[in-house]
Amino acid sequence: MTDPSPPPEAGDIMTLVHEAVGGIELEPGEKREIWRFTQRELPYLWSQRTSYFILGSYRDPYIRRLRAVQNELTKQLGAYPFIMGDLLELPTDRLNTFDIMFSLLATYSDYIVGVLEKESGGEAPELGEIDDPPYFAKSYVFPRDYAWVTDANLDSKQHVIQAALEIAFADDLSADEVQSKVDSLVDRAQEIGLDCDEQEVWGVIDDRADEGEEPATYSWVHLNKFRKFELHERCFSWTTENELRTLVDELPSPTPRPEWESRG
């Protein structure tokens, strides 16, 4: 097999790689594998198509939601949505290959899309990577069941649904108590003018019970990171997979080039 040759962007690529590995000296075989990876995967990111790097858990059932986002983006002409787990791996035993691959893909992707449903797993450090420069400006997050709630905050249907899910899955409440509290919550939401239908709220609760999935819970650190994206209008909370599919439309379309490219 012919050894891959360095691409024209070799200098920039190796700078990223050395930062990812902490500046250690690379062995010749490791360099060959990195060039092979860049020759195979980076041309898709350098093409005229708009690339979307989709982050999230690869475990079932979470991977199904990543595929849902990928499938919705694929419908758009000129889009290249991808998941790192589908790409060529770097077969090196010594190096921290995830950091290398993530750094290269995140740097050369047009947009980064995080789909989050829990606070543990690989998506937790990924969130920590994309909420600061150089990736923050092109990143969007889609956390399930998220709402920035304070004690006096009930100002959207998403807040109502999140609160209703927490009530419905509380261990210390009887079925009658759950019914009463959820009904009272919906009544209060309607009284303050929220477009919140009792049947819709119970539908979400029943669907989640049928799935056997409790509401997503996040640490205070996660909530603050989501809030940062929310303040920049790049956080989109969802409850059902259908909602997630619909919210994909909030991402920048493949037609215009991303704003971050023109920033100094």
Side-chain angles (χ1 to χ4, degrees):
M1 181 181 296
T2 304
D3 286 344
S5 57
E9 299 81 3
D12 292 337
I13 289 173
M14 289 311 299
T15 296
L16 291 170
V17 171
H18 280 295
E19 289 176 353
V21 299
I24 65 170
E25 185 70 23
L26 298 178
E27 298 174 357
E30 294 168 342
K31 290 183 180 179
R32 286 195 296 271
E33 294 301 337
I34 290 170
W35 296 140
R36 184 169 290 113
F37 174 82
T38 59
Q39 283 188 344
R40 169 74 177 271
E41 305 298 349
L42 294 193
Y44 294 103
L45 309 186
W46 293 328
S47 70
Q48 291 302 306
R49 290 192 294 171
T50 301
S51 54
Y52 300 84
F53 183 12
I54 303 171
L55 310 178
S57 176
Y58 294 168
R59 289 189 295 165
D60 190 61
Y62 311 113
I63 185 63
R64 297 205 305 265
R65 263 76 83 172
L66 301 192
R67 295 299 185 199
V69 171
Q70 185 180 32
N71 291 340
E72 291 301 313
L73 286 168
T74 300
K75 297 175 183 177
Q76 301 187 40
L77 183 64
Y80 171 60
F82 68 95
I83 296 169
M84 185 164 69
D86 293 335
L87 306 186
L88 178 72
E89 292 188 14
L90 286 174
T92 63
D93 296 329
R94 187 176 75 106
L95 299 179
N96 48 322
T97 55
F98 171 85
D99 292 329
I100 297 171
M101 294 171 65
F102 181 90
S103 179
L104 291 172
L105 296 171
T107 296
Y108 291 109
S109 294
D110 293 316
Y111 300 106
I112 302 172
V113 182
V115 182
L116 300 108
E117 301 187 49
K118 53 190 177 68
E119 63 184 13
S120 60
E123 56 271 38
E126 289 174 346
L127 178 63
E129 291 283 350
I130 66 173
D131 80 316
D132 283 316
Y135 307 128
F136 177 71
K138 57 177 168 180
S139 296
Y140 295 74
V141 294
F142 292 75
R144 190 176 196 180
D145 300 335
Y146 162 75
W148 183 254
V149 180
T150 64
D151 290 342
N153 189 10
L154 191 66
D155 57 10
S156 74
K157 183 168 67 175
Q158 187 59 40
H159 288 133
V160 177
I161 290 176
Q162 184 201 28
L165 285 169
E166 292 174 354
I167 293 170
F169 284 86
D171 293 331
D172 57 345
L173 296 179
S174 67
D176 289 342
E177 288 173 324
V178 168
Q179 178 78 46
S180 176
K181 287 182 176 293
V182 171
D183 289 349
S184 176
L185 175 70
V186 174
D187 289 343
R188 191 165 79 252
Q190 292 174 343
E191 288 174 359
I192 62 176
L194 294 182
D195 180 18
C196 187
D197 180 77
E198 182 176 340
Q199 185 175 357
E200 180 183 6
V201 172
W202 279 108
V204 172
I205 293 172
D206 292 341
D207 287 345
R208 192 64 65 86
D210 290 341
E211 294 171 359
E213 298 180 27
E214 295 189 2
T217 58
Y218 303 103
S219 70
W220 183 237
V221 174
H222 284 76
L223 294 175
N224 274 266
K225 291 183 183 297
F226 296 156
R227 181 58 173 169
K228 180 178 178 180
F229 281 97
E230 189 174 19
L231 291 171
H232 288 265
E233 300 181 342
R234 286 188 272 118
C235 176
F236 304 98
S237 182
W238 57 281
T239 303
T240 67
E241 184 175 312
N242 284 337
E243 288 179 350
L244 177 61
R245 289 179 179 274
T246 300
L247 284 170
V248 170
D249 288 340
E250 299 294 334
L251 289 169
S253 71
T255 304
R257 300 306 298 166
E259 292 182 6
W260 64 267
E261 282 189 349
S262 59
R263 294 176 183 170

